[in-house]
Amino acid sequence: MDSNILNNLKLTKVAASKIDTFDFENVKFGEKFTDHMLVCEYKNGEWGTLEIKPYAPITLDPSARVFHYGQAIFEGMKAYKEDNNDIWMFRPDQNFERFNKSAIRLAMPAIDETRFIGGLRELIKVEKEWVRKGLGNSLYIRPFMIATESGVIASPSNEFLFCILLSPAKSYYAGKIKVQIADYYSRAANGGIGAAKAAGNYSAQFYPTKLAQEAGFNQVIWTDSNHTHLEEAGTMNVFFRINDTLFTAPTSDRILDGVTRKSLIQLGESLGYDIKIEPVQVDTILNSAKNGTLKEIFGAGTAAVVNQIEGFSYKDQYYQLPEMADEGSYALQLKNALTKLQNKLADDPFNWTVKI
Ligand SMILES: Cc1ncc(COP(=O)(O)O)c(C=O)c1O
């Protein structure tokens, strides 16, 4: 960490916090934000001064490249408060690394660790009252970068804005979800930007996901370009349990390298699970659903940690997964183990949690 950058951080506090009017119990994911945000501009080939200031709209030229060419990336991560008021981030190094991989793929400048992780630490310190204790409470962290240079010229911007927003989150038990396996639309292409957390990957999913929702499903599980292999869901990586083996697809330039996915793999292995990271064929899943060996499917991502799937459709045929006692469910065992570790209610033998 470069202490000069942090010593020069400019802090402007709100005149009055809105925390007293904030309904922490009924907050909807990602809808409301804390009092302050962190911003930093990139100009003339370098990142500038970090600034923490009141959360407010940002003003951009209507021709700013982000509006026309979608040069925009983001991250999603969480912080948790322990009973003794210590605040912990979960694997921020992984989000920092992934952010810079996304930046490079979108022809944007990488940012240094001091501005990303150091700046985030300072922001969370200012907003520490917004992090609530107790299992299920967390602070969702949304770093992002956009191209701000003006000009409708289809070339990379030379100016960027890095910004971090904080949003108190509560995990509700949303219930099991139903998913549709993609057999026409694709989320990502070989050599494309699927592995980047780029804004365009999400807008590309909205229309097919809307069609799936109109047909009664919550999300789409994306497949490769031939629609023969299962890749990931809208905002989650996916695990399949056949008998007692867990399968998940290897990451590639089409799949986001999820922090939850890699954490569950390590955690599962430490619990003695048999986990295979290999391409998962749609046919294998259909056959195992038919012969009763497919026990569970679940998604893994920062927002919900683990999301159980109750059934899926493929080419208009619906497959219901078997009922499973909670104690026997790998999805619930893993969710329980990871959320306890994140909330400092269990040991962290992997040193994933980082104190603010
Ligand atoms: C497309 C996609 N896949 C997977 C994930 C899961 O990644 P992570 O566990 O890092 O949140 C996300 C969510 O961030 C995502 O947007």
Side-chain angles (χ1 to χ4, degrees):
M1 294 273 168
D2 182 339
S3 53
N4 274 339
I5 296 174
L6 295 177
N7 290 340
N8 289 331
L9 185 149
K10 191 175 156 208
L11 171 63
T12 312
K13 284 207 169 183
V14 287
S17 171
K18 55 182 187 259
I19 197 164
D20 290 339
T21 59
F22 195 88
D23 184 357
F24 281 91
E25 284 313 305
N26 298 302
V27 57
K28 280 205 188 137
F29 183 79
E31 270 193 355
K32 296 261 168 61
F33 300 89
T34 64
D35 289 325
H36 302 89
M37 61 188 191
L38 177 113
V39 294
C40 185
E41 287 181 9
Y42 181 91
K43 270 190 184 149
N44 303 320
E46 58 184 18
W47 286 104
T49 308
L50 285 175
E51 199 181 342
I52 294 177
K53 60 183 193 181
Y55 184 96
I58 44 182
T59 305
L60 290 179
D61 191 285
S63 71
R65 310 281 166 104
V66 62
F67 298 135
H68 304 270
Y69 308 111
Q71 232 185 337
I73 57 166
F74 67 98
E75 265 306 323
M77 50 208 286
K78 279 183 175 172
Y80 305 84
K81 191 178 261 181
E82 197 179 348
D83 274 347
N84 65 4
N85 287 329
D86 286 343
I87 298 176
W88 299 83
M89 298 185 281
F90 182 69
R91 307 190 78 176
D93 54 316
Q94 298 293 314
N95 297 90
F96 166 64
E97 276 175 30
R98 192 170 68 185
F99 191 73
N100 279 339
K101 280 188 191 154
S102 300
I104 289 162
R105 181 63 185 81
L106 275 280
M108 299 168 100
I111 193 162
D112 51 281
E113 191 179 354
T114 306
R115 285 184 174 82
F116 188 103
I117 297 183
L120 171 59
R121 262 178 196 278
E122 296 308 312
L123 180 64
I124 295 179
K125 278 190 210 161
V126 170
E127 302 291 52
K128 59 181 187 298
E129 299 304 327
W130 288 88
V131 200
R132 293 288 150 130
K133 293 176 198 171
L135 200 59
N137 290 322
S138 64
L139 184 72
Y140 182 73
I141 302 162
R142 170 52 64 92
F144 67 98
M145 195 204 307
I146 53 172
T148 51
E149 192 182 3
S150 59
V152 287
I153 304 146
S155 61
S157 177
N158 291 303
E159 293 172 9
F160 297 88
L161 179 74
F162 171 69
C163 186
I164 305 181
L165 311 178
L166 303 178
S167 176
K170 197 153 183 77
S171 76
Y172 295 101
Y173 177 64
K176 294 185 180 179
I177 60 168
K178 288 184 181 161
V179 295
Q180 194 178 59
I181 295 179
D183 63 9
Y184 176 73
Y185 291 102
S186 293
R187 173 188 174 275
N190 294 336
I193 60 167
K197 219 161 158 59
N201 282 331
Y202 298 81
S203 49
Q205 300 182 73
F206 289 162
Y207 177 65
T209 304
K210 177 173 152 268
L211 296 182
Q213 286 169 351
E214 283 167 1
F217 299 92
N218 306 81
Q219 281 212 16
V220 176
I221 297 189
W222 300 102
T223 44
D224 62 346
S225 54
N226 300 318
H227 305 298
T228 52
H229 289 81
L230 293 150
E231 306 240 283
E232 64 175 326
T235 54
M236 298 185 294
N237 297 105
V238 201
F239 288 79
F240 303 85
R241 174 177 171 189
I242 300 177
N243 289 321
D244 285 342
T245 302
L246 265 186
F247 293 86
T248 192
T251 53
S252 68
D253 59 7
R254 298 181 307 272
I255 298 182
L256 192 83
D257 186 4
V259 181
T260 317
R261 171 190 174 279
K262 67 175 74 159
S263 305
L264 292 183
I265 291 171
Q266 244 181 293
L267 203 53
E269 282 169 351
S270 76
L271 293 173
Y273 291 7
D274 178 24
I275 303 184
K276 293 208 158 57
I277 300 166
E278 56 184 61
V280 183
Q281 286 194 31
V282 176
D283 278 349
T284 307
I285 297 306
L286 298 182
N287 290 336
S288 347
K290 285 176 197 153
N291 68 24
T293 53
L294 182 66
K295 305 289 183 210
E296 290 182 84
I297 307 179
F298 56 91
T302 296
V305 184
V306 168
N307 216 323
Q308 290 177 283
I309 291 171
E310 67 172 76
F312 65 91
S313 84
Y314 180 67
K315 293 192 190 287
D316 294 330
Q317 169 94 34
Y318 183 70
Y319 300 80
Q320 179 74 33
L321 293 179
E323 282 292 325
M324 164 153 319
D326 286 356
E327 316 80 72
S329 159
Y330 283 6
L332 292 184
Q333 288 168 8
L334 287 171
K335 180 172 188 165
N336 196 18
L338 187 57
T339 47
K340 278 194 175 152
L341 183 156
Q342 289 169 326
N343 284 274
K344 304 300 285 181
L345 297 168
D347 288 344
D348 173 14
F350 310 100
N351 286 323
W352 285 337
T353 48
V354 178
K355 199 163 155 182
I356 297 283

